[in-house]
Amino acid sequence: MSRRKGSSFSSASTAEQVTEGIDGTALTAIVTGATSGIGAETARVLAMRGVHVIMGVRNLVTAKDVKEEILEEYPSAKVDAMELDLSSMASVRKFASDFISSALPLNILINNAGIFGTPFMLSEDNIELQFATNHVGHFLLTNLLLDTMKKTTHESKREGRIVIVTSCAHRLSYRGGIRFDKINDESSYRKFCAYAQSKLANVLHANELARRFKEEEVDITVNSVHPGTIITNIDRYYVNPGLAAVLKKFISFAFKNAEQGASTTCYVALHPEVKGLSGEYFADNKMAKVGSRGRDIELAKKLWDFSMNLIK
């Protein structure tokens, strides 16, 4: 796919459709937040295509149910679950350490997990919870797994791919984009702006890591994706359950289902059309225009340094 030509898929395409005919049997992928919604569908479709899927999850009991459902549908699927709480740096470090100890390769990392619209709370590491979970946890996880991904890419002679799930809401962050000096400021906290800030951080993280890989000539691509508007349990803090039901019933045309919502992630993770594309933003299975803050190279570099200090 050239930068001028779009893909053959659309917003209505499902994850199964965009991966049809792709053989992923030689690949291993980590998918965070894989017990519900688009994360569970991403795990299912990757496993369907033969990828060995490691689900990074907070709830191992729920993950067991998801795994059993996948195996019931595809008995030869390779699916495992490992405990991962992205709001906790200790949990992220343990997950990464356990994965590295397994000596498994890592071709694909899908940073999918997220929370949305929580009341003001601090993580156990004293970082505002949405920023901690949606950005910092994934930033740390990615950093800890980079050597494994580089080793896999070198030994397999096959491009590695990192997919970071963001949102079009990245355009609606606080003024200035990232409030470096007010991440934990409860008095000016706005739960949607804080969510948007964390999603902008996802875009900037992807862009800066892609830039670094290009400089190092590392054969790993990094892209951010907007899955579309999907009401899943990520909305539990922000959308009243009754309202969610009404929205689904009366304006379902404006929303995607999980099968459609997972499609752009699966497309960017597996499809040969996106080979070599890095530092891009995708929506509806096509490259899309990112918000102006998301294109800010200096802001991305500043966020990188800020994030590195947080995870020390």
Side-chain angles (χ1 to χ4, degrees):
M1 180 175 70
S2 73
R3 294 176 188 275
R4 293 175 295 280
K5 181 183 175 184
S7 79
S8 52
F9 305 108
S10 70
S11 61
S13 300
T14 66
E16 284 194 22
Q17 288 169 341
V18 303
T19 59
E20 187 174 358
I22 295 175
D23 180 6
T25 51
L27 304 174
T28 301
I30 289 174
V31 182
T32 68
T35 53
S36 63
I38 63 174
E41 178 65 4
T42 298
R44 183 188 75 84
V45 172
L46 263 58
M48 173 191 182
R49 300 304 178 206
V51 178
H52 182 184
V53 178
I54 312 297
M55 301 187 296
V57 300
R58 283 186 298 181
N59 189 326
L60 287 172
V61 175
T62 307
K64 183 172 179 285
D65 294 339
V66 173
K67 177 180 176 178
E68 287 176 356
E69 287 174 11
I70 293 172
L71 291 175
E72 190 175 326
E73 193 174 0
Y74 310 106
S76 62
K78 293 175 287 186
V79 184
D80 292 296
M82 294 171 58
E83 189 171 6
L84 173 62
D85 178 355
L86 285 150
S87 72
S88 161
M89 290 194 212
S91 176
V92 173
R93 291 185 190 280
K94 184 177 187 308
F95 174 92
S97 176
D98 289 348
F99 179 82
I100 292 166
S101 296
S102 75
L104 284 168
L106 182 59
N107 305 89
I108 301 166
L109 173 61
I110 298 177
N111 292 336
N112 165 81
I115 57 173
F116 174 72
T118 58
F120 182 83
M121 288 183 267
L122 294 179
S123 71
E124 66 179 49
D125 302 296
N126 290 314
I127 303 167
E128 186 276 309
L129 193 61
Q130 293 191 84
F131 194 76
T133 305
N134 297 351
H135 169 61
V136 178
H138 281 128
F139 182 88
L140 175 59
L141 178 67
T142 304
N143 271 27
L144 294 173
L145 295 173
L146 283 186
D147 285 345
T148 301
M149 286 202 78
K150 289 176 181 178
K151 181 174 184 283
T152 300
T153 299
H154 177 73
E155 292 179 352
S156 68
K157 303 292 189 290
R158 190 163 183 169
E159 177 184 87
R161 296 186 182 182
I162 297 173
V163 183
I164 301 179
V165 178
T166 180
S167 166
C168 64
H170 74 270
R171 296 175 172 86
L172 303 175
S173 183
Y174 297 105
R175 183 176 297 180
I178 307 290
R179 304 196 311 168
F180 295 103
D181 58 342
K182 291 186 176 181
I183 289 293
N184 291 347
D185 184 10
E186 183 175 3
S187 65
S188 59
Y189 180 78
R190 300 291 180 269
K191 57 187 177 181
F192 183 78
C193 287
Y195 171 75
Q197 174 179 247
S198 72
K199 294 289 99 180
L200 173 59
N202 291 153
V203 174
L204 295 170
H205 176 207
N207 292 353
E208 176 61 12
L209 185 54
R211 187 189 67 79
R212 288 168 178 258
F213 280 161
K214 286 173 186 175
E215 275 191 358
E216 297 170 23
E217 298 184 343
V218 174
D219 192 20
I220 300 173
T221 63
V222 195
N223 293 291
S224 55
V225 304
H226 166 53
T229 307
I230 308 131
I231 293 184
T232 65
N233 69 353
I234 193 176
D235 303 305
R236 62 190 177 277
Y237 294 105
Y238 201 83
V239 179
N240 175 281
L243 175 59
V246 170
L247 287 171
K248 283 182 178 178
K249 183 174 181 180
F250 290 104
I251 54 172
S252 58
F253 65 87
F255 293 93
K256 291 184 180 183
N257 56 35
E259 291 80 7
Q260 294 166 327
S263 65
T264 306
T265 299
C266 290
Y267 173 70
V268 176
L270 282 184
H271 209 284
E273 282 183 350
V274 300
K275 181 175 173 58
L277 291 177
S278 194
E280 301 290 349
Y281 170 74
F282 288 79
D284 296 335
N285 299 295
K286 294 176 173 62
M287 282 191 296
K289 187 174 181 180
V290 74
S292 59
R293 293 287 183 190
R295 299 191 298 272
D296 190 327
I297 295 170
E298 292 309 312
L299 186 62
K301 290 178 180 177
K302 186 175 180 181
L303 175 66
W304 182 277
D305 292 340
F306 181 76
S307 303
M308 287 299 289
N309 284 329
L310 285 177
I311 66 174
K312 282 180 181 176

